[in-house]
Amino acid sequence: KVMASGAQEPAVDLTDSSVTVSGYNANQTGKQTITVEYEGIQKTFEITVKNTVKTIEITAPTKTTYGHGDTLSLEGGKIEVTYADGTKQTPEMTSDMVTETSTGSSVNMSPNESEYGENHKVTKNLTIKYEEDGTQKTATYEIEIINKITSIKMHTTPKTNYNVNDALDVTNGEILVTRQTGEPEVKEITQDMVTGFDSSKENTKLPLKVTYTENGETKETSYEVSVKDSVTSISIKANPSKTEYKYGESLDLTGATISVVKGSGTTDIPITDNMVSGYDPTTVGKQTVKVSYGGKDTTFEVTVKDYVKDITLTAPTKTEYKYGEALDLTGGQVQKVMASGAQEPAVDLTDSS
């Protein structure tokens, strides 16, 4: 009380029964004017009722898979704050609220190559933290960062020349795989990576597609092969009807055939003059004749025999006789003249041959 005389009176607590306090509403936020009445006199003061945080709920973002260097997406993430009066607000989730759980630092979306495992992926646990009016809430979730493949190309080309009906052979075939970070890696080509192979018919420029898939990413490259109906082997099906020849006699291929094996199957064809080599009609004895076809060889044998082409006669010493005298062949000889020119010994006319 402030007395008219200026006399000092002891102060009374506002909670005293002689004091009337009005105007306060605990369930109304904002500024309020409180009225105090004492001894018939009123005075006022102001207070503020704050709408305090009751709960905070955090929903993690929906995107959890990223490529190396991607920007962290907060799409689908939600913060919901419930206040004491039951009202709710959803403040915006920002990237500075998200840290790596293990370090507390901002999220590194471009890890070093060494951080990626054999499967070229790294998993990170993230923490979302939101604080308001002294109330703090955290939530964690995981993301996966993939060192994605960006391209592939041929590194070592496998077999490119095929025969009709051959099977695909990718032995020693390799591709070079390039990813978002790190050095390119050599990968072996497997049968299931190659499509487009068809050896049922000839095609000297057949393109084959090589497809490589890793962590959901697929890339393609190609190489070219040639398919030909090539000869794989030949063999004598039938020898010539004539296999013995006189010296100087030409080769006769009548009746001679070979079996030709190709990718498409086996056929029998006649042997022609342009297929054979090695026959010499002026060489006496057995000869091996070579047959060549489609880059393959086989042989058959013939025999060349010398023969008597003429004879040389040396008359006997005695050439005049008396009537009734017996023939005297002394000194007479005969000698064979061979077709090859070989010298044979002379034979006396008296020889039994």
Side-chain angles (χ1 to χ4, degrees):
K1 289 187 287 188
V2 179
M3 302 304 292
S5 63
Q8 294 292 323
E9 293 288 322
V12 177
D13 292 334
L14 295 181
T15 57
D16 190 87
S17 59
S18 62
V19 180
T20 302
V21 179
S22 62
Y24 176 66
N25 185 351
N27 295 316
Q28 179 181 323
T29 60
K31 287 186 177 181
Q32 297 183 22
T33 299
I34 307 301
T35 301
V36 178
E37 184 175 341
Y38 181 60
E39 295 290 340
I41 299 173
Q42 291 183 343
K43 293 287 186 179
T44 63
F45 64 91
E46 288 189 344
I47 64 168
T48 301
V49 177
K50 296 185 68 175
N51 196 10
T52 57
V53 175
K54 185 177 181 182
T55 60
I56 301 173
E57 297 295 331
I58 298 177
T59 302
T62 53
K63 183 173 182 178
T64 57
T65 302
Y66 295 86
H68 178 89
D70 285 355
T71 301
L72 183 69
S73 172
L74 301 179
E75 186 176 350
K78 182 180 178 182
I79 300 172
E80 185 177 76
V81 181
T82 302
Y83 296 94
D85 66 352
T87 59
K88 296 181 178 182
Q89 286 189 9
T90 53
E92 180 185 1
M93 184 180 292
T94 57
S95 58
D96 60 330
M97 299 178 185
V98 185
T99 58
E100 295 194 20
T101 303
S102 60
T103 63
S105 58
S106 58
V107 183
N108 178 14
M109 299 296 289
S110 300
N112 294 325
E113 184 185 9
S114 59
E115 296 181 57
Y116 291 102
E118 290 184 359
N119 58 359
H120 308 288
K121 297 189 289 187
V122 62
T123 299
K124 290 178 178 278
N125 188 279
L126 307 185
T127 297
I128 306 168
K129 182 170 72 174
Y130 180 76
E131 183 174 356
E132 185 177 328
D133 289 338
T135 300
Q136 185 183 96
K137 178 71 174 182
T138 61
T140 61
Y141 74 108
E142 285 188 346
I143 64 168
E144 185 176 68
I145 303 175
I146 301 171
N147 190 10
K148 296 180 180 180
I149 55 173
T150 57
S151 67
I152 65 170
K153 67 178 181 179
M154 294 302 299
H155 184 253
T156 303
T157 304
K159 179 178 177 179
T160 57
N161 293 315
Y162 289 87
N163 203 354
V164 168
N165 291 328
D166 276 354
L168 176 66
D169 184 357
V170 296
T171 304
N172 298 325
E174 294 173 327
I175 56 172
L176 197 63
V177 180
T178 301
R179 300 182 179 86
Q180 291 172 305
T181 188
E183 293 298 317
E185 180 184 8
V186 175
K187 285 282 188 178
E188 181 182 342
I189 296 174
T190 58
Q191 293 268 354
D192 59 325
M193 292 165 60
V194 182
T195 56
F197 182 73
D198 178 10
S199 64
S200 64
K201 58 183 180 295
E202 287 191 316
N203 188 340
T204 58
K205 291 189 176 182
L206 178 64
L208 302 186
K209 183 168 69 175
V210 181
T211 304
Y212 179 70
T213 300
E214 182 181 280
N215 294 323
E217 294 287 326
T218 300
K219 300 295 178 183
E220 296 176 356
T221 188
S222 64
Y223 67 100
E224 195 174 84
V225 299
S226 174
V227 179
K228 295 181 179 179
D229 197 12
S230 303
V231 176
T232 58
S233 67
I234 64 172
S235 60
I236 299 296
K237 176 72 173 179
N239 284 317
S241 302
K242 184 180 179 70
T243 58
E244 291 190 358
Y245 294 86
K246 289 182 178 181
Y247 182 91
E249 191 174 5
S250 299
L251 187 66
D252 184 356
L253 297 174
T254 302
T257 58
I258 54 172
S259 292
V260 179
V261 180
K262 294 183 176 181
S264 58
T266 302
T267 55
D268 297 334
I269 62 172
I271 299 175
T272 57
D273 289 336
N274 62 341
M275 297 181 190
V276 296
S277 61
Y279 176 68
D280 183 358
T282 63
T283 299
V284 176
K286 281 190 176 181
Q287 297 185 26
T288 299
V289 180
K290 183 167 74 172
V291 181
S292 301
Y293 183 80
K296 303 297 178 181
D297 300 323
T298 188
T299 61
F300 64 89
E301 287 190 343
V302 297
T303 302
V304 175
K305 294 183 176 181
D306 207 354
Y307 68 96
V308 179
K309 183 174 68 172
D310 199 359
I311 60 171
T312 301
L313 176 63
T314 302
T317 306
K318 184 172 182 173
T319 58
E320 292 186 2
Y321 292 86
K322 293 180 180 180
Y323 180 85
E325 188 178 3
L327 182 65
D328 182 357
L329 298 176
T330 302
Q333 290 184 325
V334 66
Q335 187 178 25
K336 292 185 283 187
V337 178
M338 304 304 293
S340 66
Q343 296 293 317
E344 295 286 328
V347 178
D348 292 338
L349 294 181
T350 55
D351 190 88
S352 60
S353 59

